[in-house]
Amino acid sequence: MDFSALRNLISRYCTGEENWVDSRTVYIGQREPPPGTEAYIPQRFPDNRIVSSKYTFWNFVPKNLFEQFRRVANFYFLIIFLVQLIIDTPTSPVTSGLPLFFVITVTAIKQGYEDWLRHKADNAVNQCPVHIIQHGKVVRKQSRKLRVGDIVLVKEDETFPSDLILLSTSRDDGTCFVTTASLDGESSHKTYYAVQDTKSFNTEKEVDMLRATIECEQPQPDLYKFVGRINIYQDRDEPIARPLGSENLLLRGATLKNTEFVYAVAIYTGMESKMALNYQSKSQKRSAVEKSMNAFLVVYLCILISKALINTTLKYVWQADPNRDEPWYNGKTDHERQRHVMIRAFTDFLAFMVLFNYIIPVSMYVTVEMQKFLGSYFITWDDEMFDEELGEGALVNTSDLNEELGQVEYVFTDKTGTLTENNMEFIECCVDGHVYVPHAICNGQILSGSSGIDMIDSSPGPDGKEREELFFRALCLCHTVQVKEEETVDGIKRGIHQGKATSFYISSSPDEVALVEGMKRLGFTYLRLKDNHMEILNREDEVERFELLEVLNFDSVRRRMSVIVRSSSGHLYLFCKGADSSIFPRVISGKVDRVRARVEHNAVEGLRTLCVAYKALSQEEYHNVCQLLDSAKLALQDRDRKLAEAYDLIERDLILLGATAVEDRLQEKAADTIESLHKAGMKVWVLTGDKMETAAATCYASKLFRRSTQILELTTKRTEEQSLHDVLFELGRTVLRQHGSLTHDTFSGLSGEFQDYGLIIDGATLSAVMKPAQDDSSGNYKEIFLEICRNCSAVLCCRMAPLQKAQIVKLIKASKEHPITLAVGDGANDVSMILEAHVGIGIMGKEGRQAARNSDYAIPKFKHLKKMLLVHGHYYYIRIAELVQYFFYKNVCFIFPQFLYQFFCGFSQQPLYDTAYLTLYNISFTSLPILLYSLIEQHVSMDILKRDPSLYRDIAKNCLLRWRIFIYWTFLGLFDSMVFFFGAYFLFDNTTFTSNGQIFGNWTFGTLVFTVLVFTVTLKLALDTHYWTWINHFVVWGSLLFYVVFSLLWGGVIWPFLNYQRMYYVFVQMLSSGPAWLGIGLLVIISLLPDVLKKVLCRALWPTSTERIQNVEKLYQSHLSEFTPLPLLNSSLPDFEAHNINPRRSGHRSKELMYTHWRGTTGYCTFSSTLGPPGIGRTHRLVGLETSV
């Protein structure tokens, strides 16, 4: 007896999978099948709600608190607060509790508001109306109430509410046109097909009478894969079964176009739809700076524990002498004195922890939150990032990652709608070497003054006239374009020429539309496909009819398509168009050399080129072609391979006619932005769902690939010829043969020293690379793939599913270097990679606002990415790095004298400073100057950061928060604190008297140390400030003045709410002593001197690029004339003076000089070359030897 089925059932039930099955059965219209056909098994499916929010009303408080207390700092301050509540400590619990409560509350309000916006957006989607067929009538419901099996009516320009199987359409042939721009980035029209047996159902009653079931696979995220079948029950006993594929599946988020209505049945709803499955779950992102802060916090926590342990141990060593007991002023009771020594020691340890607790800067987290929140407004206020066309500027959806914008190493960008405008423009065509350039035509928009044809080169002779017209006819016939006989397309009036409405072309390929429109301008107009006959209007206004016999569809492996047509005279032709690499080897005659030269010329210009060829067929040849195609199409096994073999046999012995050039128009300044990102040290990857050829052409146009770039292909075509293992190792040897173990600068290819490599990979091959190896012999493909990518200057990933985009980003994030990644896109298909990357940026494009809503930042155009990273990101990182290091530094200066003081007070936990000073040091006396610095500091001007992207490299890899710099700041704080304490101790030890002969007491000593401390740390920040405004002066000097005024008032008035007056007259008494004034000034100078000397020496001997720029900015204000040779900008002031003495110093390089014109009003420079044609600008680095790029 076979118990395997029972065992599987029990196994699944025990593991919580009792409802899990391999496939699902959907009952159309919620109707049961006829009795006796099959068992009716109702299944439970989720509703149609979409949820992108993170919290609910009930779990917000516990979930948010849990996430916030996962931060080391927040958890630590909570423990300290509880300790202060439980035991008697030297300081009040309010000093820790209030700042902690403020941070938690502000963060919770901010995150709650962001999640409320997501809830609001979800509700808008879930409550939108849908039309459902029930009992033969159309019923209107909310989208969230849609169920699996419901029949839905969708009208033109409406978005599909769930994943649907197409049953019938308003078109007689059962087809409909759909745009999937929000899913895969392709805004072109795609054709989908209704089920053959239901396509004639055109009314609600007919559709409602349908009795059928759909068996299909369980939901999975692949947009291009679907397997199922429909069983249609009629009068007969056995149902009619029809296969279902991806061509029958309408995806949620796609839009119905140029079809009046469709009827379809819901099979995947809500979070099971393919669009939702491609969404990454939203997770809390942590910046590299925050991780560094947490690491530094752990170090300071160890220092704090060490201090507490040392003091606790030394206290009991001190009290081991019978003559030394607990000091009387601590007020310990007899009961407390007689406790067990371990309990007393533990209590003392906690008391020391609280006393030294201020070394951990709780106010730093408050200041960081305020700095991020307020600093984010500088992006939204930036007028240069405002787009007039959209009427919107940049948006900040989360301010937690501002500084991460200055640390980006990898940029992953979508293509369609992000790099390009998705507007194909026909540029020219070449027939037998004769070039034709019509005026600009773009997607039906005929520009003014476009009558006539520009002829370049000589016109063809009489013999060439026939071939010219054959070329035009070939392009009018060899395509899959549909004709729209209306005045509007997508709600936009297009193609109105001389007051008359004209036909419009729609296709799954925008460049096909551009080619047909180009032929229309050149005199041959494609009219329609009617009754399987294609009609074109020639130059003599005569209609020519060609019978369409066969279509050999385009595929990315063949890289060409063909049609076989019969003319009205009975002649048979095969017209073929495709990439030059797939056409030239199949050509046996024609002006190959002249056409190839023109193709190469256009390729260099970044245009997408196609070659056109033909051959005449005899009746016998056509009969053989039909037999080949029929046998391949009827094959059940290996159908794709047999069709490819048939196409290969048919498309041979062609005659070359000519070539075309089409441009996918880039967004404004997209190429300049990518070039700037490259110079800044970032690697740019393009991840797109588009075809390889289209994407590659865009990469050339956007300067991601250059003419000298050697393209490496890791595609399905390549892996079909060789195994994946062999291809990977061959590519690895290719890129490593030259580079070897040397560190390859991805931009050195410009100088010709290295060969630049560009990698192209498609989605299917990426899946194979990412798949875990079955055995060790095949090796780790991921590591080899990553090694190849590291040595390529650019990578193009095409035919990517949305989840694959996220996998690529995750793969790079998890590599051994752990680089900071940024993803930028404009459609719902980009949401996964935007959520996966460290920083996600959405483009406010034409494909909806899903990307902008789910991103961390949103910008109107791709060009704005340049300023966001090179300027705002640079500033944010510089500012917050100084803020973090400065806070740790000033708290070391603050608390280390307290540690030293315990050695002089018998380790009695006596505070060195007054409680008011302890509380207000971080809140009032030293907080505003660093907050203002972190908001407005500009170490170099904005224009220089934009003009010299290489300055971005100076802050790469979190260089300002490395351990070496952290240790320097810590030791500087230790040095300064020892100067404060021992300077005051030795200068005033038994020597300083007031005017009435009294010696300074302990509170006066502590106040003296605190005064030196406040002035030193404030002046230290003033020395680090490069960008001074009246606000800086007001805050810096105002903070010092506030400290003095507060101290005078605090010690000069008897406050009735205090039960002690230990600070009464202390500050005034200290200032009445001349030696105190001298000591304060002397100690402040001694404390600041080492840091000043270090900066002067480093700037003189080992200046960074940024420091050279700062020197230049100071020089030009008083020394530079209007025109100064660029090499002098790299020189120090003595070099400049020497140049004035010897003006011929650079004479031998006069031809290479670039001149800079300094504009004194804005502090930036513009460069114009003295070489080359006018109007061509070249960008140069301000530092190092000038190099032309």
Side-chain angles (χ1 to χ4, degrees):
M1 185 174 180
D2 187 8
F3 292 98
S4 59
L6 180 62
R7 184 162 55 251
N8 290 337
L9 182 63
I10 294 173
S11 172
R12 286 180 179 175
Y13 185 82
C14 293
T15 56
E17 297 182 354
E18 65 273 19
N19 294 324
W20 184 91
V21 289
D22 292 328
S23 62
R24 63 170 54 184
T25 301
V26 177
Y27 298 92
I28 296 180
Q30 313 296 338
R31 289 173 172 270
E32 299 180 21
T37 52
E38 64 176 20
Y40 175 59
I41 307 173
Q43 298 182 34
R44 297 184 63 182
F45 303 111
D47 59 22
N48 200 38
R49 285 180 298 173
I50 288 291
V51 180
S52 65
S53 55
K54 187 177 180 181
Y55 304 106
T56 66
F57 178 80
W58 305 107
N59 71 10
F60 173 73
V61 173
K63 192 172 182 180
N64 186 264
L65 287 178
F66 172 74
E67 288 187 347
Q68 292 208 55
F69 283 115
R70 284 170 60 193
R71 288 184 174 183
V72 178
N74 290 346
F75 184 73
Y76 164 76
F77 292 126
L78 177 65
I79 297 298
I80 290 296
F81 175 65
L82 295 176
V83 168
Q84 288 179 298
L85 288 176
I86 295 169
I87 69 169
D88 182 25
T89 57
T91 56
S92 168
V94 176
T95 58
S96 296
L98 270 180
L100 178 63
F101 177 76
F102 177 77
V103 172
I104 296 296
T105 305
V106 169
T107 307
I109 290 173
K110 186 182 72 170
Q111 293 180 352
Y113 174 71
E114 291 172 353
D115 203 63
W116 176 76
L117 292 178
R118 294 189 204 105
H119 272 282
K120 192 176 177 182
D122 289 344
N123 289 335
V125 172
N126 294 331
Q127 293 176 6
C128 69
V130 297
H131 298 92
I132 299 172
I133 309 300
Q134 286 185 348
H135 308 298
K137 296 181 180 179
V138 178
V139 179
R140 184 169 175 171
K141 288 186 178 182
Q142 291 183 343
S143 175
R144 61 189 177 89
K145 295 182 179 179
L146 181 64
R147 296 184 300 164
V148 170
D150 285 345
I151 299 175
V152 182
L153 170 64
V154 182
K155 298 180 181 179
E156 184 174 3
D157 292 327
E158 290 184 352
T159 300
F160 300 123
S162 65
D163 290 350
L164 310 167
I165 290 295
L166 182 59
L167 297 178
S168 66
T169 78
S170 59
R171 302 172 68 93
D172 295 336
D173 56 0
T175 61
C176 71
F177 300 104
V178 172
T179 58
T180 57
S182 63
L183 295 170
D184 57 14
E186 294 188 33
S187 59
S188 53
H189 293 66
K190 296 181 178 177
T191 306
Y192 287 81
Y193 300 90
V195 177
Q196 192 68 24
D197 297 82
T198 63
K199 70 177 183 180
S200 60
F201 294 177
N202 291 323
T203 65
E204 290 82 8
K205 289 185 178 180
E206 288 178 335
V207 173
D208 191 52
M209 292 298 293
L210 176 65
R211 283 203 167 192
T213 59
I214 293 176
E215 296 176 43
C216 59
E217 61 188 358
Q218 291 290 2
Q220 49 99 1
D222 192 339
L223 295 178
Y224 308 107
K225 183 181 178 184
F226 175 75
V227 176
R229 70 181 178 190
I230 183 171
N231 300 309
I232 302 171
Y233 297 92
Q234 295 178 345
D235 296 336
R236 65 187 72 179
D237 295 335
E238 289 296 322
I240 301 173
R242 300 293 185 202
L244 298 174
S246 57
E247 69 277 5
N248 309 114
L249 182 67
L250 306 173
L251 299 177
R252 177 176 189 141
T255 306
L256 182 65
K257 293 291 182 183
N258 305 312
T259 307
E260 188 178 343
F261 64 84
V262 300
Y263 292 108
V265 59
I267 56 166
Y268 302 134
T269 54
M271 300 307 291
E272 287 188 343
S273 63
K274 288 182 180 287
M275 183 180 77
L277 291 175
N278 275 280
Y279 281 164
Q280 288 284 101
S281 59
K282 222 168 171 53
S283 60
Q284 190 76 18
K285 293 183 179 181
R286 307 280 186 203
S287 69
V289 170
E290 186 175 342
K291 292 173 185 175
S292 297
M293 284 167 54
N294 290 335
F296 298 161
L297 190 72
V298 171
V299 172
Y300 272 65
L301 191 58
C302 294
I303 294 173
L304 171 62
I305 294 171
S306 302
K307 284 183 177 181
L309 283 173
I310 291 170
N311 277 266
T312 304
T313 305
L314 292 177
K315 175 178 181 176
Y316 284 90
V317 171
W318 168 268
Q319 293 181 358
D321 189 332
N323 297 322
R324 298 169 183 162
D325 198 358
E326 188 76 29
W328 61 268
Y329 49 77
N330 277 353
K332 298 286 185 180
T333 63
D334 289 338
H335 175 71
E336 290 173 332
R337 291 169 184 269
Q338 293 171 4
R339 281 178 180 170
H340 191 276
V341 65
M342 294 302 295
I343 296 176
R344 283 188 288 135
F346 181 68
T347 305
D348 286 328
F349 171 76
L350 292 179
F352 278 119
M353 286 280 289
V354 172
L355 182 65
F356 301 141
N357 157 57
Y358 297 94
I359 196 173
I360 307 293
V362 61
S363 59
M364 177 178 72
Y365 287 87
V366 181
T367 309
V368 165
E369 288 291 335
M370 294 178 65
Q371 188 266 349
K372 289 183 175 182
F373 177 72
L374 296 175
S376 63
Y377 282 99
F378 289 111
I379 290 179
T380 58
W381 291 337
D382 193 335
D383 290 337
E384 292 185 19
M385 299 176 72
F386 183 85
D387 186 68
E388 296 289 345
E389 182 183 345
L390 291 175
E392 293 185 77
L395 294 177
V396 178
N397 295 328
T398 175
S399 58
D400 293 337
L401 304 169
N402 291 344
E403 64 276 6
E404 207 82 327
L405 294 171
Q407 293 296 294
V408 176
E409 298 172 61
Y410 281 81
V411 175
F412 299 94
T413 175
D414 180 39
K415 181 190 76 71
T416 308
T418 303
L419 291 179
T420 70
E421 296 178 354
N422 203 36
N423 285 332
M424 290 288 188
E425 181 180 355
F426 179 78
I427 302 298
E428 67 170 49
C429 61
C430 169
V431 184
D432 284 347
H434 304 288
V435 180
Y436 300 79
V437 183
H439 288 278
I441 308 163
C442 185
N443 286 1
Q445 299 286 352
I446 303 175
L447 305 182
S448 58
S450 59
S451 59
I453 301 172
D454 296 333
M455 299 292 292
I456 300 178
D457 290 345
S458 57
S459 298
D463 296 338
K465 196 73 174 176
E466 182 182 349
R467 292 173 61 81
E468 172 194 302
E469 293 186 354
L470 194 59
F471 174 85
F472 294 154
R473 289 189 182 95
L475 286 175
C476 285
L477 298 171
C478 188
H479 56 73
T480 57
V481 170
Q482 303 284 335
V483 180
K484 175 83 170 177
E485 299 283 358
E486 292 182 11
E487 188 174 304
T488 60
V489 173
D490 301 348
I492 303 171
K493 289 188 177 182
R494 298 163 63 185
I496 305 303
H497 185 51
Q498 297 177 352
K500 298 178 181 179
T502 56
S503 303
F504 300 94
Y505 302 118
I506 54 176
S507 173
S508 60
S509 174
D511 58 343
E512 279 197 335
V513 175
L515 290 175
V516 174
E517 286 175 339
M519 294 305 101
K520 183 176 179 180
R521 288 295 302 126
L522 291 169
F524 281 77
T525 304
Y526 172 61
L527 298 178
R528 66 186 66 84
L529 172 63
K530 186 177 181 181
D531 300 330
N532 216 33
H533 282 74
M534 303 179 81
E535 298 179 359
I536 61 176
L537 186 69
N538 61 24
R539 288 174 180 169
E540 286 75 30
D541 289 336
E542 297 172 351
V543 176
E544 300 180 6
R545 287 170 56 88
F546 292 84
E547 183 183 356
L548 181 61
L549 301 174
E550 297 286 350
V551 178
L552 281 59
N553 288 316
F554 177 89
D555 65 70
S556 57
V557 177
R558 283 167 50 241
R559 302 173 72 182
R560 60 184 180 273
M561 76 159 290
S562 300
V563 293
I564 299 176
V565 295
R566 178 185 284 118
S567 68
S568 55
S569 60
H571 293 93
L572 292 166
Y573 295 99
L574 180 142
F575 293 116
C576 182
K577 72 176 181 185
D580 56 330
S581 58
S582 64
I583 296 293
F584 283 140
R586 300 179 170 273
V587 168
I588 56 172
S589 66
K591 304 280 183 70
V592 178
D593 293 336
R594 296 182 67 177
V595 174
R596 180 183 278 120
R598 194 65 193 176
V599 166
E600 291 176 355
H601 173 270
N602 289 332
V604 170
E605 297 295 322
L607 303 178
R608 181 173 182 189
T609 58
L610 289 175
C611 292
V612 181
Y614 85 103
K615 73 173 178 180
L617 297 175
S618 65
Q619 195 64 39
E620 184 181 353
E621 288 174 326
Y622 172 64
H623 181 69
N624 294 333
V625 165
C626 288
Q627 285 185 335
L628 269 175
L629 291 176
D630 289 343
S631 61
K633 288 177 181 178
L634 292 174
L636 295 177
Q637 301 291 330
D638 297 328
R639 181 183 297 175
D640 291 340
R641 182 180 60 82
K642 291 180 179 179
L643 275 174
E645 291 174 355
Y647 292 164
D648 182 65
L649 291 172
I650 295 167
E651 297 169 327
R652 290 185 176 179
D653 303 331
L654 304 177
I655 301 171
L656 184 65
L657 288 172
T660 63
V662 174
E663 180 184 18
D664 185 1
R665 187 180 297 169
L666 284 177
Q667 282 197 18
E668 181 187 6
K669 296 183 180 178
D672 173 66
T673 301
I674 287 182
E675 193 169 17
S676 296
L677 298 181
H678 275 156
K679 290 178 183 176
M682 299 176 224
K683 290 191 174 182
V684 182
W685 289 31
V686 173
L687 311 181
T688 178
D690 216 339
K691 300 178 186 132
M692 186 178 78
E693 295 78 16
T694 308
T698 303
C699 289
Y700 277 108
S702 62
K703 299 183 181 177
L704 188 74
F705 294 157
R706 299 178 179 275
R707 184 181 182 184
S708 60
T709 303
Q710 181 178 336
I711 302 300
L712 308 175
E713 288 191 15
L714 187 55
T715 58
T716 307
K717 179 183 177 182
R718 188 90 186 267
T719 53
E720 284 177 353
E721 299 169 355
Q722 294 176 267
S723 69
L724 177 63
H725 180 273
D726 294 340
V727 173
L728 280 170
F729 275 91
E730 182 181 326
L731 294 179
R733 283 195 301 269
T734 301
V735 297
L736 294 176
R737 184 184 301 119
Q738 179 176 352
H739 303 145
S741 60
L742 297 176
T743 302
H744 174 53
D745 182 355
T746 58
F747 315 105
S748 60
L750 301 175
S751 63
E753 296 177 12
F754 287 95
Q755 169 66 55
D756 266 344
Y757 292 103
L759 178 68
I760 299 178
I761 183 171
D762 59 20
T765 312
L766 178 68
S767 298
V769 170
M770 301 289 286
K771 190 183 299 182
Q774 297 297 323
D775 55 356
D776 295 335
S777 62
S778 60
N780 192 338
Y781 290 160
K782 287 185 185 178
E783 286 301 319
I784 303 171
F785 174 67
L786 279 173
E787 193 60 38
I788 294 169
C789 292
R790 286 192 200 103
N791 289 281
C792 290
S793 58
V795 178
L796 166 62
C797 304
C798 52
R799 282 299 180 194
M800 291 280 131
L803 212 54
Q804 285 183 312
K805 294 184 178 184
Q807 288 175 345
I808 281 279
V809 176
K810 189 174 183 179
L811 179 67
I812 297 299
K813 276 175 62 179
S815 61
K816 59 185 179 182
E817 296 91 357
H818 298 291
I820 304 299
T821 58
L822 178 145
V824 54
D826 69 319
N829 60 315
D830 304 313
V831 169
S832 296
M833 73 169 179
I834 285 173
L835 294 177
E836 181 63 49
H838 293 95
V839 183
I841 294 185
I843 303 287
M844 302 172 191
K846 302 173 184 177
E847 301 178 9
R849 293 298 171 94
Q850 294 96 328
R853 192 174 73 240
N854 286 276
S855 62
D856 304 307
Y857 303 88
I859 54 178
K861 295 286 173 62
F862 183 76
K863 66 178 180 180
H864 298 131
L865 186 64
K866 177 180 178 179
K867 186 171 186 183
M868 178 166 274
L869 297 183
L870 301 187
V871 178
H872 290 293
H874 197 119
Y875 282 155
Y876 283 138
Y877 179 74
I878 290 287
R879 293 163 181 168
I880 204 166
E882 176 84 9
L883 185 151
V884 171
Q885 301 282 25
Y886 177 77
F887 254 99
F888 282 112
Y889 157 78
K890 74 185 182 74
N891 278 38
V892 169
C893 293
F894 178 46
I895 216 64
F896 196 67
Q898 177 73 69
F899 172 74
L900 297 173
Y901 186 60
Q902 296 305 304
F903 288 85
F904 296 87
C905 68
F907 306 100
S908 61
Q909 299 152 17
Q910 170 66 24
L912 174 63
Y913 314 116
D914 180 64
T915 304
Y917 289 159
L918 284 171
T919 305
L920 296 178
Y921 173 74
N922 280 317
I923 295 177
S924 299
F925 299 149
T926 60
S927 59
L928 280 180
I930 184 60
L931 176 61
L932 189 71
Y933 175 97
S934 65
L935 288 174
I936 66 173
E937 170 65 5
Q938 295 182 19
H939 59 304
V940 291
S941 70
M942 286 189 183
D943 298 282
I944 288 180
L945 288 178
K946 285 191 291 186
R947 291 178 177 280
D948 192 0
S950 61
L951 292 177
Y952 192 88
R953 301 188 187 199
D954 286 353
I955 61 168
K957 298 188 182 297
N958 204 17
C959 68
L960 298 183
L961 288 175
R962 289 179 181 167
W963 287 105
R964 178 174 56 84
I965 298 177
F966 169 71
I967 292 170
Y968 167 75
W969 280 85
T970 302
F971 275 99
L972 183 64
L974 292 174
F975 172 80
D976 289 350
S977 59
M978 294 179 73
V979 170
F980 305 156
F981 185 85
F982 289 111
Y985 180 79
F986 289 117
L987 282 173
F988 304 114
D989 184 24
N990 298 325
T991 58
T992 301
F993 294 86
T994 59
S995 57
N996 60 5
Q998 291 181 341
I999 300 176
F1000 282 172
N1002 67 311
W1003 293 116
T1004 311
F1005 175 75
T1007 303
L1008 178 64
V1009 173
F1010 190 80
T1011 303
V1012 177
L1013 161 69
V1014 171
F1015 273 78
T1016 300
V1017 297
T1018 305
L1019 292 175
K1020 157 70 175 159
L1021 184 65
L1023 290 172
D1024 286 348
T1025 302
H1026 296 93
Y1027 185 72
W1028 282 94
T1029 64
W1030 67 267
I1031 307 177
N1032 294 78
H1033 287 289
F1034 176 78
V1035 169
V1036 170
W1037 313 124
S1039 294
L1040 295 176
L1041 182 63
F1042 172 75
Y1043 165 69
V1044 173
V1045 172
F1046 173 84
S1047 298
L1048 289 171
L1049 291 174
W1050 183 245
V1053 178
I1054 298 177
W1055 301 99
F1057 55 84
L1058 293 177
N1059 56 7
Y1060 59 87
Q1061 297 291 332
R1062 61 194 181 198
M1063 292 300 292
Y1064 181 68
Y1065 212 60
V1066 167
F1067 195 74
V1068 175
Q1069 187 184 41
M1070 183 191 74
L1071 293 184
S1072 65
S1073 170
W1077 284 86
L1078 179 64
I1080 290 172
L1082 187 62
L1083 292 178
V1084 168
I1085 292 172
I1086 293 173
S1087 301
L1088 295 174
L1089 193 60
D1091 189 52
V1092 172
L1093 289 175
K1094 178 251 181 188
K1095 286 184 176 178
V1096 170
L1097 289 174
C1098 287
R1099 277 178 175 270
L1101 301 177
W1102 309 285
T1104 64
S1105 301
T1106 304
E1107 288 169 346
R1108 290 195 186 103
I1109 294 295
Q1110 290 168 349
N1111 292 335
V1112 167
E1113 285 192 288
K1114 293 174 185 176
L1115 277 174
Y1116 93 89
Q1117 295 175 359
S1118 55
H1119 292 90
L1120 293 183
S1121 62
E1122 184 178 9
F1123 292 97
T1124 303
L1126 183 63
L1128 299 182
L1129 301 184
N1130 303 319
S1131 307
S1132 59
L1133 182 58
D1135 292 333
F1136 177 76
E1137 292 169 349
H1139 176 81
N1140 288 339
I1141 297 170
N1142 182 15
R1144 296 181 60 83
R1145 176 179 173 186
S1146 303
H1148 65 286
R1149 297 180 61 193
S1150 60
K1151 290 185 179 180
E1152 297 178 31
L1153 289 185
M1154 306 295 292
Y1155 288 91
T1156 177
H1157 178 210
W1158 290 92
R1159 300 180 183 175
T1161 55
T1162 56
Y1164 65 87
C1165 58
T1166 56
F1167 301 93
S1168 58
S1169 175
T1170 56
L1171 303 173
I1176 300 178
R1178 300 181 182 175
T1179 305
H1180 294 264
R1181 289 188 57 180
L1182 288 178
V1183 294
L1185 294 176
E1186 65 273 9
T1187 53
S1188 157
V1189 178

